[in-house]
Amino acid sequence: MRTGSPRPDRPGRIRRAAARRRRALPAALAAIATTAVLTALAGTGPAHAAAAPAPSAARPAAASAHTLVGYLHASFANGSGYTRLADVPDSWDLIDLAFGEPTSPTSGDIRFSLCPQSECPGVESEDEFKAAVKAKQAAGKKVLISIGGQNGQVQLTTAAARDAFVTSVGALIDRYGLDGLDIDFEGHSLSLDDGDTDFTKPTTPSVVNLIAAVKSLKAKYGEKFTLTMAPETFFVQLGHQYYGSGPWGGQDPRAGAYLPVIHALRNDLTLLHVQDYNSGPIMGLDEQYHTMGSADFPIAMTDMLLAGFPVAGNKDQVFPPLKPSQVAIGLPASPNAGNGHTSTGDVTKALNCLTKNTDCGGYTPHGAWPDLGGLMTWSINWDRYNDWEFQKNFDAYFGR
């Protein structure tokens, strides 16, 4: 039961342990655009699209056209209230269970359990939950375990941690009959070692081991395995300006640290939905800084993923574009859910611009992508609290 008025999920608030598992960007990261110490690396002009690697024989599990993705607070409660899996409306195509977390940051041993009754009155039993998973799947939906979140730091620094990750995540998928994995590594989970400057050939153990672990899971489950990722802009688009600690050191080593993971797994990736919220200003391909909260931000951030971009301003090292069907826009479901809430009107403008090249405002993307993957939101619970505004707008836009 909710007591009192909810407050926005945002960095720095001290709340009870379960509520602190929400996703939020640490304040130090939010200020990166103004605090980056290396100014010698200037941004470049629009990226030259580079060819993606040859597809692997086993294709990634396909998401439905224009997928609606939402995170479900399944292991904790907060001001949005608890929502049973069976009560999630049919509009939600892909449901990420938040969160699987490690026993310690470097153990690789991931655990997940349903929210306790004392914290979430009305929580379903495990058998009811498993039945709800099957019912969603019978209706054509996907249910994934999301690993990480703000407090679930995962650092696979050793081969033992890598193997524990594969074993424990596989056990959770089997126990609940899930469709796959969502990687929501935040904070200090991914960081690049000094000298690791080529996103196509990473050498940092935590990055190399994560890639290997996911490939092992994909090999185990095959084509049916669904893989999604929800990085923050700090770990992806910021890589256009800064990558790791840089050639001379001194930068935040987490900058752009998701890029080698995305690149190595692009042929296995179902959806990438970067969090276009809880972010500082990020430079786009137009060499201008873009700020969260309006249509401009998801337009510029998504365009970078669909056009490709030089990493750390190096035109000889271009992050290749992803397929439009692999990219979804991630936004908060309500002002309470995270910093950078974007109105439904601006969400519609962003979709129009990226899929039709209309309503683009001051930013002109490098193409029109009618097959854009869809929308993601944090979270289903917050959208329910907000009278399903995010879901209703998605359904209306795509005629569902």
Side-chain angles (χ1 to χ4, degrees), residues 32 36 38 41 190-204 207-208 211 234-264 309-314 317 319:
I32 183 64
L38 187 61
L41 290 178
L190 288 180
S191 181
L192 297 168
D193 289 348
D194 288 347
D196 190 350
T197 58
D198 185 349
F199 76 92
T200 68
K201 299 174 183 177
T203 58
T204 303
V207 172
V208 173
I211 293 167
F234 184 93
F235 297 95
V236 183
Q237 286 92 341
L238 186 67
H240 176 41
Q241 286 183 278
Y242 309 102
Y243 186 69
S245 59
W248 305 289
Q251 295 176 187
D252 190 318
R254 295 169 293 177
Y258 247 94
L259 293 179
V261 178
I262 298 167
H263 184 67
F309 57 90
V311 174
N314 184 353
Q317 195 173 64
F319 180 79

Side-chain angles (χ1 to χ4, degrees), residues 165-166 169-170 173 181 212-222 225:
F165 184 89
V166 173
V169 171
I173 291 172
L181 169 67
V214 176
K215 284 187 175 292
S216 293
L217 288 165
K218 175 63 184 291
K220 176 180 179 179
Y221 293 103
F225 186 72

Side-chain angles (χ1 to χ4, degrees), residues 179-192:
D179 295 288
L181 169 67
D182 172 69
I183 302 173
D184 185 15
F185 286 15
E186 302 183 14
H188 291 269
S189 291
L190 288 180
S191 181
L192 297 168

